[in-house]
Amino acid sequence: MKILNLHGVGNLVYEDREIPEPGENEVLLKVMACGICSSDESRVMETGTYHFPTVPGHEFAGQVVGLGEGCDPALMNRKASVFPLLPCFECEACRQKSYATCTNYKYFGSRNDGAYAEYLVVPAWNLNLLDDSVPYTTGALSEPAAVAHHAAVMSGVKKGDRALVIGTGTIGLLIAAFCQIKGAEVYIAGRRQESLDFAASFGFRTINIRKLRDEVNELTNGRRMDVTFEAVGSNLSLEGAIMSTRSGGTVLVMGNPKGDEALPKDVYWKILRWQLRLQGTWNSAFRAEGDDWKEVAEIMKEGSFPFERLITRKYLLSEGDEAFRFLQDKSVPKSRLMFVMHEEADRLKKEREARQ
Ligand SMILES: [Zn+2]
Ligand SMILES: [Zn+2]
């Protein structure tokens, strides 16, 4: 089989490896699609992985084509995405079924080899089964979708709420989607006009972040937002999120901070005076109460959101350098880039031929 193996920072090599054998309670997954996360961009191009070489890739879906001992035979041939975190099952967090906060975890695509590979052995426990009607490329969006779904749940957003998402990345758009599905009136704020136009094409109301306070006041008749999501990770957007939220409302904080977060005193005062709730969110719930992955699989099956439109470009596994070069070109706004393999790769080749 073919893999994309990271031998050093910026050194992603397309090479051969033996197809692995599933062990006890493990399955062999034929990987059909694997998203390129922005965290992969820093792993591959800046920071590297825990050790070299490592095969990146943690946002993937495929078909079960082999079963190890002890696996349910009904899993054979099923379509599935994969919870990429491998919990220890022993720490306090794991005992509470809060697997995403396990203190001794492994992870596909960073601590362990991931899914920039045609096949991957995964524990049956990590499978998130998908309906046959869900395209593999949609399924490969399960991980970012589960993270976004968890944020929406943690915010407590409900029908009739006005919800603002600051940030037009893939996660921002997915949060907006889940707020809309929950019946909220959804606004999304960003910097680039192309990104705002793209958000508007999903039916979200858009706000230019440079005029955030004015536009929020104008659009809500001074009542501001019930829930605001900070999905950027900068001082300015945290400040904007606080100032956009109504008295007694919720600010959901989830953007990765690029540095220290500091607030002007008058903004800080608003948290107190307006009795705002600041709520954090981390990863997603899997095989526990409020399983975000199951909810996302259900939404993908219903087809109430066009997930496929979040895929900006698809690449063959042999085109790793090209994909990462495009990812680093910040002059072009983009949502997810994705590697496709096997039948999905054949489909991509046909699409390209048809376009010529
Ligand atoms: Zn990711
Ligand atoms: Zn644990």
Side-chain angles (χ1 to χ4, degrees):
M1 68 167 182
K2 293 291 187 187
I3 60 171
L4 266 182
N5 206 358
L6 188 69
H7 285 267
V9 173
N11 186 17
L12 202 52
V13 184
Y14 184 60
E15 59 187 37
D16 289 292
R17 179 179 283 181
E18 289 284 306
I19 296 177
E21 291 273 337
E24 201 179 346
N25 297 318
E26 290 178 333
V27 306
L28 180 65
L29 194 77
K30 181 179 172 187
V31 181
M32 297 286 195
C34 183
I36 308 176
C37 180
S38 53
S39 69
D40 291 336
E41 183 182 355
S42 39
R43 273 184 204 112
V44 172
M45 305 308 283
E46 293 157 27
T47 58
T49 37
Y50 287 84
H51 49 79
F52 292 120
T54 301
V55 181
H58 61 272
E59 301 181 356
F60 57 106
Q63 184 184 27
V64 177
V65 293
L67 300 177
E69 237 177 277
C71 286
D72 178 358
L75 289 175
M76 197 61 185
N77 296 323
R78 286 298 304 265
K79 215 177 241 202
S81 55
V82 174
F83 181 61
L85 188 147
L86 299 152
C88 74
F89 296 110
E90 281 168 14
C91 72
E92 188 51 35
C94 282
R95 275 199 290 267
Q96 306 287 334
K97 294 193 175 183
S98 176
Y99 302 112
T101 56
C102 171
T103 52
N104 189 22
Y105 64 92
K106 292 176 179 172
Y107 206 89
F108 283 122
S110 68
R111 300 180 188 216
N112 293 47
D113 282 345
Y116 289 4
E118 289 182 307
Y119 293 89
L120 187 67
V121 164
V122 303
W125 185 88
N126 287 69
L127 293 175
N128 179 56
L129 296 179
L130 299 168
D131 190 77
D132 277 337
S133 65
V134 177
Y136 286 110
T137 41
T138 291
L141 293 167
S142 295
E143 197 264 350
V147 168
H149 188 270
H150 193 63
V153 170
M154 293 303 285
S155 77
V157 67
K158 57 187 190 312
K159 196 172 178 201
D161 278 353
R162 273 185 307 270
L164 167 67
V165 182
I166 302 179
T168 52
T170 311
I171 298 273
L173 291 165
L174 285 164
I175 294 172
F178 296 130
C179 289
Q180 196 172 56
I181 288 168
K182 286 176 183 294
E185 191 178 296
V186 182
Y187 299 79
I188 187 159
R191 195 164 292 276
R192 299 171 75 138
Q193 194 53 47
E194 300 105 302
S195 305
L196 291 176
D197 291 344
F198 186 55
S201 75
F202 291 93
F204 309 132
R205 298 162 185 83
T206 59
I207 295 177
N208 185 325
I209 202 159
R210 291 182 189 82
K211 302 180 218 154
L212 187 64
R213 285 191 205 185
D214 290 344
E215 290 205 12
V216 165
N217 279 318
E218 204 177 295
L219 291 165
T220 65
N221 292 320
R223 289 177 300 183
R224 304 193 300 276
M225 303 290 167
D226 298 290
V227 182
T228 306
F229 296 82
E230 197 289 292
V232 175
S234 74
N235 280 324
L236 221 58
S237 72
L238 179 60
E239 204 179 310
I242 291 166
M243 296 305 293
S244 301
T245 309
R246 69 160 168 84
S247 281
T250 299
V251 176
L252 192 292
V253 191
M254 75 172 310
N256 289 336
K258 317 237 172 343
D260 290 345
E261 292 275 356
L263 291 172
K265 196 164 84 179
D266 64 318
V267 176
Y268 189 89
W269 264 116
K270 299 292 196 250
I271 306 174
L272 280 60
R273 224 175 252 284
W274 292 347
Q275 304 195 74
L276 297 178
R277 257 184 302 273
L278 254 64
Q279 172 71 51
T281 180
W282 187 250
N283 204 315
S284 55
F286 179 71
R287 289 195 187 257
E289 209 182 308
D291 188 327
D292 296 295
W293 289 70
K294 259 200 183 132
E295 298 281 337
V296 163
E298 199 51 42
I299 293 168
M300 286 177 170
K301 180 183 167 184
E302 285 162 8
S304 45
F305 181 76
F307 289 95
E308 286 291 304
R309 291 193 51 225
L310 293 176
I311 305 165
T312 308
R313 261 188 217 178
K314 293 173 192 167
Y315 291 92
L316 304 173
L317 204 54
S318 55
E319 300 168 334
D321 286 340
E322 202 182 324
F324 278 89
R325 221 178 299 128
F326 181 56
L327 196 61
Q328 290 209 297
D329 175 5
K330 302 301 172 197
S331 68
V332 188
K334 53 186 81 71
S335 202
R336 264 305 181 267
L337 306 186
M338 196 173 275
F339 288 116
V340 287
M341 288 157 254
H342 308 286
E343 286 86 340
E344 292 296 322
D346 299 340
R347 194 193 304 262
L348 175 64
K349 286 179 203 159
K350 280 207 192 90
E351 276 170 23
R352 284 176 177 176
E353 272 168 32
R355 250 182 277 141
Q356 272 173 3

PDB file of all heavy atoms in Angstrom, residues 11 14 36 46 50 53 98 102 126 145 158 187 196 246 253 271 274 276 288 297 321 325 341 349 354:
ATOM      1  N   ASN A  11       9.235  17.338   5.163  1.00  0.00           N
ATOM      2  CA  ASN A  11       9.720  16.208   4.359  1.00  0.00           C
ATOM      3  C   ASN A  11       8.722  15.043   4.377  1.00  0.00           C
ATOM      4  O   ASN A  11       8.866  14.065   5.100  1.00  0.00           O
ATOM      5  CB  ASN A  11      11.087  15.767   4.892  1.00  0.00           C
ATOM      6  CG  ASN A  11      11.721  14.700   4.022  1.00  0.00           C
ATOM      7  OD1 ASN A  11      11.314  14.497   2.863  1.00  0.00           O
ATOM      8  ND2 ASN A  11      12.698  14.001   4.576  1.00  0.00           N
ATOM      9  N   TYR A  14       6.152  10.013  -0.194  1.00  0.00           N
ATOM     10  CA  TYR A  14       5.172   9.054  -0.717  1.00  0.00           C
ATOM     11  C   TYR A  14       5.897   7.731  -0.883  1.00  0.00           C
ATOM     12  O   TYR A  14       6.805   7.603  -1.697  1.00  0.00           O
ATOM     13  CB  TYR A  14       4.677   9.588  -2.070  1.00  0.00           C
ATOM     14  CG  TYR A  14       3.591   8.781  -2.738  1.00  0.00           C
ATOM     15  CD1 TYR A  14       2.365   8.577  -2.111  1.00  0.00           C
ATOM     16  CD2 TYR A  14       3.777   8.268  -4.014  1.00  0.00           C
ATOM     17  CE1 TYR A  14       1.353   7.863  -2.744  1.00  0.00           C
ATOM     18  CE2 TYR A  14       2.770   7.553  -4.659  1.00  0.00           C
ATOM     19  CZ  TYR A  14       1.565   7.356  -4.011  1.00  0.00           C
ATOM     20  OH  TYR A  14       0.573   6.661  -4.640  1.00  0.00           O
ATOM     21  N   ILE A  36      -7.111  17.217   5.568  1.00  0.00           N
ATOM     22  CA  ILE A  36      -5.862  17.845   6.007  1.00  0.00           C
ATOM     23  C   ILE A  36      -6.253  18.961   6.961  1.00  0.00           C
ATOM     24  O   ILE A  36      -6.772  19.995   6.565  1.00  0.00           O
ATOM     25  CB  ILE A  36      -5.067  18.408   4.810  1.00  0.00           C
ATOM     26  CG1 ILE A  36      -4.885  17.322   3.741  1.00  0.00           C
ATOM     27  CG2 ILE A  36      -3.730  18.957   5.277  1.00  0.00           C
ATOM     28  CD1 ILE A  36      -4.192  17.816   2.480  1.00  0.00           C
ATOM     29  N   GLU A  46       5.929  22.914  10.362  1.00  0.00           N
ATOM     30  CA  GLU A  46       6.585  23.755  11.378  1.00  0.00           C
ATOM     31  C   GLU A  46       7.162  22.970  12.551  1.00  0.00           C
ATOM     32  O   GLU A  46       8.363  22.951  12.780  1.00  0.00           O
ATOM     33  CB  GLU A  46       5.593  24.794  11.923  1.00  0.00           C
ATOM     34  CG  GLU A  46       5.174  25.831  10.895  1.00  0.00           C
ATOM     35  CD  GLU A  46       3.830  26.464  11.241  1.00  0.00           C
ATOM     36  OE1 GLU A  46       3.489  26.508  12.442  1.00  0.00           O
ATOM     37  OE2 GLU A  46       3.111  26.878  10.306  1.00  0.00           O
ATOM     38  N   TYR A  50       5.701  13.841  17.260  1.00  0.00           N
ATOM     39  CA  TYR A  50       6.416  13.418  18.471  1.00  0.00           C
ATOM     40  C   TYR A  50       7.713  12.688  18.141  1.00  0.00           C
ATOM     41  O   TYR A  50       8.677  12.722  18.892  1.00  0.00           O
ATOM     42  CB  TYR A  50       5.517  12.546  19.350  1.00  0.00           C
ATOM     43  CG  TYR A  50       4.457  13.371  20.022  1.00  0.00           C
ATOM     44  CD1 TYR A  50       3.278  13.689  19.356  1.00  0.00           C
ATOM     45  CD2 TYR A  50       4.656  13.879  21.307  1.00  0.00           C
ATOM     46  CE1 TYR A  50       2.323  14.493  19.938  1.00  0.00           C
ATOM     47  CE2 TYR A  50       3.708  14.688  21.901  1.00  0.00           C
ATOM     48  CZ  TYR A  50       2.534  14.985  21.215  1.00  0.00           C
ATOM     49  OH  TYR A  50       1.601  15.789  21.797  1.00  0.00           O
ATOM     50  N   PRO A  53       9.956   8.662  11.651  1.00  0.00           N
ATOM     51  CA  PRO A  53       8.872   9.163  10.803  1.00  0.00           C
ATOM     52  C   PRO A  53       7.505   8.894  11.428  1.00  0.00           C
ATOM     53  O   PRO A  53       7.359   7.972  12.234  1.00  0.00           O
ATOM     54  CB  PRO A  53       9.044   8.341   9.533  1.00  0.00           C
ATOM     55  CG  PRO A  53       9.640   7.035   9.982  1.00  0.00           C
ATOM     56  CD  PRO A  53      10.464   7.341  11.194  1.00  0.00           C
ATOM     57  N   SER A  98     -14.940  10.391  29.928  1.00  0.00           N
ATOM     58  CA  SER A  98     -14.542  11.639  29.303  1.00  0.00           C
ATOM     59  C   SER A  98     -13.239  11.367  28.550  1.00  0.00           C
ATOM     60  O   SER A  98     -12.171  11.861  28.888  1.00  0.00           O
ATOM     61  CB  SER A  98     -14.343  12.716  30.376  1.00  0.00           C
ATOM     62  OG  SER A  98     -13.878  13.898  29.785  1.00  0.00           O
ATOM     63  N   CYS A 102      -8.571  12.211  28.480  1.00  0.00           N
ATOM     64  CA  CYS A 102      -7.664  11.173  28.985  1.00  0.00           C
ATOM     65  C   CYS A 102      -6.274  11.776  29.202  1.00  0.00           C
ATOM     66  O   CYS A 102      -5.789  12.545  28.389  1.00  0.00           O
ATOM     67  CB  CYS A 102      -7.594  10.030  27.978  1.00  0.00           C
ATOM     68  SG  CYS A 102      -6.316   8.812  28.346  1.00  0.00           S
ATOM     69  N   ASN A 126     -13.076   2.407  18.308  1.00  0.00           N
ATOM     70  CA  ASN A 126     -12.957   3.767  17.780  1.00  0.00           C
ATOM     71  C   ASN A 126     -13.828   4.031  16.552  1.00  0.00           C
ATOM     72  O   ASN A 126     -13.881   5.157  16.061  1.00  0.00           O
ATOM     73  CB  ASN A 126     -11.502   4.084  17.433  1.00  0.00           C
ATOM     74  CG  ASN A 126     -10.656   4.289  18.672  1.00  0.00           C
ATOM     75  OD1 ASN A 126     -10.409   3.326  19.403  1.00  0.00           O
ATOM     76  ND2 ASN A 126     -10.228   5.507  18.934  1.00  0.00           N
ATOM     77  N   ALA A 145     -16.454  18.079  12.545  1.00  0.00           N
ATOM     78  CA  ALA A 145     -17.887  18.278  12.791  1.00  0.00           C
ATOM     79  C   ALA A 145     -18.241  17.934  14.244  1.00  0.00           C
ATOM     80  O   ALA A 145     -19.034  18.638  14.878  1.00  0.00           O
ATOM     81  CB  ALA A 145     -18.713  17.437  11.823  1.00  0.00           C
ATOM     82  N   LYS A 158     -30.127  27.444  21.735  1.00  0.00           N
ATOM     83  CA  LYS A 158     -31.421  26.781  21.537  1.00  0.00           C
ATOM     84  C   LYS A 158     -32.262  27.528  20.506  1.00  0.00           C
ATOM     85  O   LYS A 158     -31.899  28.621  20.068  1.00  0.00           O
ATOM     86  CB  LYS A 158     -32.161  26.644  22.864  1.00  0.00           C
ATOM     87  CG  LYS A 158     -32.375  27.949  23.563  1.00  0.00           C
ATOM     88  CD  LYS A 158     -32.963  27.728  24.937  1.00  0.00           C
ATOM     89  CE  LYS A 158     -33.400  29.048  25.552  1.00  0.00           C
ATOM     90  NZ  LYS A 158     -32.389  30.133  25.473  1.00  0.00           N
ATOM     91  N   TYR A 187     -25.469  34.287  12.788  1.00  0.00           N
ATOM     92  CA  TYR A 187     -24.618  35.311  12.196  1.00  0.00           C
ATOM     93  C   TYR A 187     -23.183  34.796  12.222  1.00  0.00           C
ATOM     94  O   TYR A 187     -22.799  34.073  13.147  1.00  0.00           O
ATOM     95  CB  TYR A 187     -24.696  36.610  13.005  1.00  0.00           C
ATOM     96  CG  TYR A 187     -26.074  37.205  13.065  1.00  0.00           C
ATOM     97  CD1 TYR A 187     -27.039  36.696  13.947  1.00  0.00           C
ATOM     98  CD2 TYR A 187     -26.432  38.275  12.246  1.00  0.00           C
ATOM     99  CE1 TYR A 187     -28.319  37.233  13.992  1.00  0.00           C
ATOM    100  CE2 TYR A 187     -27.700  38.821  12.291  1.00  0.00           C
ATOM    101  CZ  TYR A 187     -28.645  38.297  13.163  1.00  0.00           C
ATOM    102  OH  TYR A 187     -29.896  38.833  13.206  1.00  0.00           O
ATOM    103  N   LEU A 196     -16.624  35.648   3.772  1.00  0.00           N
ATOM    104  CA  LEU A 196     -17.988  36.031   4.160  1.00  0.00           C
ATOM    105  C   LEU A 196     -18.988  35.645   3.071  1.00  0.00           C
ATOM    106  O   LEU A 196     -20.088  35.166   3.366  1.00  0.00           O
ATOM    107  CB  LEU A 196     -18.053  37.524   4.458  1.00  0.00           C
ATOM    108  CG  LEU A 196     -17.302  37.968   5.718  1.00  0.00           C
ATOM    109  CD1 LEU A 196     -17.351  39.487   5.864  1.00  0.00           C
ATOM    110  CD2 LEU A 196     -17.885  37.306   6.969  1.00  0.00           C
ATOM    111  N   ARG A 246     -25.362  39.661  24.829  1.00  0.00           N
ATOM    112  CA  ARG A 246     -26.341  40.359  25.675  1.00  0.00           C
ATOM    113  C   ARG A 246     -26.084  40.074  27.157  1.00  0.00           C
ATOM    114  O   ARG A 246     -25.410  39.097  27.497  1.00  0.00           O
ATOM    115  CB  ARG A 246     -27.760  39.933  25.307  1.00  0.00           C
ATOM    116  CG  ARG A 246     -28.092  38.487  25.687  1.00  0.00           C
ATOM    117  CD  ARG A 246     -29.600  38.263  25.763  1.00  0.00           C
ATOM    118  NE  ARG A 246     -29.934  36.857  25.833  1.00  0.00           N
ATOM    119  CZ  ARG A 246     -29.941  36.127  26.956  1.00  0.00           C
ATOM    120  NH1 ARG A 246     -29.579  36.666  28.113  1.00  0.00           N
ATOM    121  NH2 ARG A 246     -30.281  34.846  26.915  1.00  0.00           N
ATOM    122  N   VAL A 253     -15.796  29.986  24.327  1.00  0.00           N
ATOM    123  CA  VAL A 253     -14.410  30.254  23.948  1.00  0.00           C
ATOM    124  C   VAL A 253     -13.784  28.974  23.414  1.00  0.00           C
ATOM    125  O   VAL A 253     -13.748  27.962  24.112  1.00  0.00           O
ATOM    126  CB  VAL A 253     -13.607  30.731  25.175  1.00  0.00           C
ATOM    127  CG1 VAL A 253     -12.257  31.266  24.746  1.00  0.00           C
ATOM    128  CG2 VAL A 253     -14.376  31.793  25.939  1.00  0.00           C
ATOM    129  N   ILE A 271     -17.984  41.650  31.475  1.00  0.00           N
ATOM    130  CA  ILE A 271     -18.213  40.262  31.907  1.00  0.00           C
ATOM    131  C   ILE A 271     -18.939  40.283  33.254  1.00  0.00           C
ATOM    132  O   ILE A 271     -19.874  39.525  33.494  1.00  0.00           O
ATOM    133  CB  ILE A 271     -16.890  39.472  32.040  1.00  0.00           C
ATOM    134  CG1 ILE A 271     -16.085  39.534  30.748  1.00  0.00           C
ATOM    135  CG2 ILE A 271     -17.149  38.029  32.439  1.00  0.00           C
ATOM    136  CD1 ILE A 271     -14.701  38.894  30.848  1.00  0.00           C
ATOM    137  N   TRP A 274     -22.537  42.564  32.958  1.00  0.00           N
ATOM    138  CA  TRP A 274     -23.559  41.872  32.152  1.00  0.00           C
ATOM    139  C   TRP A 274     -23.749  40.423  32.610  1.00  0.00           C
ATOM    140  O   TRP A 274     -24.539  39.680  32.031  1.00  0.00           O
ATOM    141  CB  TRP A 274     -23.178  41.871  30.663  1.00  0.00           C
ATOM    142  CG  TRP A 274     -23.215  43.231  30.019  1.00  0.00           C
ATOM    143  CD1 TRP A 274     -23.777  44.363  30.537  1.00  0.00           C
ATOM    144  CD2 TRP A 274     -22.665  43.599  28.747  1.00  0.00           C
ATOM    145  NE1 TRP A 274     -23.610  45.405  29.670  1.00  0.00           N
ATOM    146  CE2 TRP A 274     -22.939  44.971  28.554  1.00  0.00           C
ATOM    147  CE3 TRP A 274     -21.989  42.916  27.748  1.00  0.00           C
ATOM    148  CZ2 TRP A 274     -22.541  45.667  27.415  1.00  0.00           C
ATOM    149  CZ3 TRP A 274     -21.596  43.596  26.604  1.00  0.00           C
ATOM    150  CH2 TRP A 274     -21.870  44.965  26.434  1.00  0.00           C
ATOM    151  N   LEU A 276     -21.976  37.767  32.260  1.00  0.00           N
ATOM    152  CA  LEU A 276     -21.792  36.847  31.138  1.00  0.00           C
ATOM    153  C   LEU A 276     -21.296  35.494  31.634  1.00  0.00           C
ATOM    154  O   LEU A 276     -20.596  35.403  32.636  1.00  0.00           O
ATOM    155  CB  LEU A 276     -20.773  37.418  30.145  1.00  0.00           C
ATOM    156  CG  LEU A 276     -21.152  38.730  29.470  1.00  0.00           C
ATOM    157  CD1 LEU A 276     -20.023  39.183  28.546  1.00  0.00           C
ATOM    158  CD2 LEU A 276     -22.453  38.595  28.690  1.00  0.00           C
ATOM    159  N   ALA A 288     -20.123   8.177  24.969  1.00  0.00           N
ATOM    160  CA  ALA A 288     -20.522   8.642  26.291  1.00  0.00           C
ATOM    161  C   ALA A 288     -21.810   9.420  26.088  1.00  0.00           C
ATOM    162  O   ALA A 288     -22.248   9.617  24.951  1.00  0.00           O
ATOM    163  CB  ALA A 288     -19.443   9.551  26.868  1.00  0.00           C
ATOM    164  N   ALA A 297     -23.226  11.810  12.774  1.00  0.00           N
ATOM    165  CA  ALA A 297     -23.530  10.750  11.798  1.00  0.00           C
ATOM    166  C   ALA A 297     -25.005  10.820  11.396  1.00  0.00           C
ATOM    167  O   ALA A 297     -25.353  10.617  10.222  1.00  0.00           O
ATOM    168  CB  ALA A 297     -23.191   9.380  12.381  1.00  0.00           C
ATOM    169  N   ASP A 321       2.933  17.115  -1.593  1.00  0.00           N
ATOM    170  CA  ASP A 321       3.655  18.394  -1.649  1.00  0.00           C
ATOM    171  C   ASP A 321       2.767  19.495  -2.207  1.00  0.00           C
ATOM    172  O   ASP A 321       2.724  20.610  -1.686  1.00  0.00           O
ATOM    173  CB  ASP A 321       4.912  18.258  -2.526  1.00  0.00           C
ATOM    174  CG  ASP A 321       5.996  17.462  -1.805  1.00  0.00           C
ATOM    175  OD1 ASP A 321       5.916  17.363  -0.561  1.00  0.00           O
ATOM    176  OD2 ASP A 321       6.897  16.928  -2.487  1.00  0.00           O
ATOM    177  N   ARG A 325       1.539  22.838  -0.315  1.00  0.00           N
ATOM    178  CA  ARG A 325       1.901  24.130  -0.906  1.00  0.00           C
ATOM    179  C   ARG A 325       0.651  25.001  -1.036  1.00  0.00           C
ATOM    180  O   ARG A 325       0.662  26.177  -0.702  1.00  0.00           O
ATOM    181  CB  ARG A 325       2.553  23.914  -2.274  1.00  0.00           C
ATOM    182  CG  ARG A 325       3.740  24.839  -2.515  1.00  0.00           C
ATOM    183  CD  ARG A 325       4.414  24.566  -3.859  1.00  0.00           C
ATOM    184  NE  ARG A 325       4.933  23.211  -3.959  1.00  0.00           N
ATOM    185  CZ  ARG A 325       4.666  22.370  -4.980  1.00  0.00           C
ATOM    186  NH1 ARG A 325       3.872  22.728  -5.969  1.00  0.00           N
ATOM    187  NH2 ARG A 325       5.194  21.175  -5.011  1.00  0.00           N
ATOM    188  N   MET A 341      -8.550   8.225  -1.722  1.00  0.00           N
ATOM    189  CA  MET A 341      -7.856   6.988  -2.094  1.00  0.00           C
ATOM    190  C   MET A 341      -8.838   5.985  -2.698  1.00  0.00           C
ATOM    191  O   MET A 341     -10.043   6.149  -2.589  1.00  0.00           O
ATOM    192  CB  MET A 341      -7.200   6.399  -0.834  1.00  0.00           C
ATOM    193  CG  MET A 341      -5.993   7.219  -0.371  1.00  0.00           C
ATOM    194  SD  MET A 341      -5.630   6.989   1.380  1.00  0.00           S
ATOM    195  CE  MET A 341      -6.219   8.532   2.065  1.00  0.00           C
ATOM    196  N   LYS A 349     -10.025  11.338 -10.404  1.00  0.00           N
ATOM    197  CA  LYS A 349      -9.346  11.340 -11.715  1.00  0.00           C
ATOM    198  C   LYS A 349     -10.356  11.563 -12.832  1.00  0.00           C
ATOM    199  O   LYS A 349     -10.092  12.319 -13.775  1.00  0.00           O
ATOM    200  CB  LYS A 349      -8.605  10.012 -11.926  1.00  0.00           C
ATOM    201  CG  LYS A 349      -7.331   9.907 -11.088  1.00  0.00           C
ATOM    202  CD  LYS A 349      -6.667   8.555 -11.318  1.00  0.00           C
ATOM    203  CE  LYS A 349      -5.769   8.167 -10.171  1.00  0.00           C
ATOM    204  NZ  LYS A 349      -5.522   6.718 -10.105  1.00  0.00           N
ATOM    205  N   ALA A 354     -12.928  15.092 -16.915  1.00  0.00           N
ATOM    206  CA  ALA A 354     -14.145  15.731 -17.436  1.00  0.00           C
ATOM    207  C   ALA A 354     -13.979  17.243 -17.495  1.00  0.00           C
ATOM    208  O   ALA A 354     -14.553  17.897 -18.368  1.00  0.00           O
ATOM    209  CB  ALA A 354     -15.330  15.365 -16.538  1.00  0.00           C
TER     210      ALA A 354
END
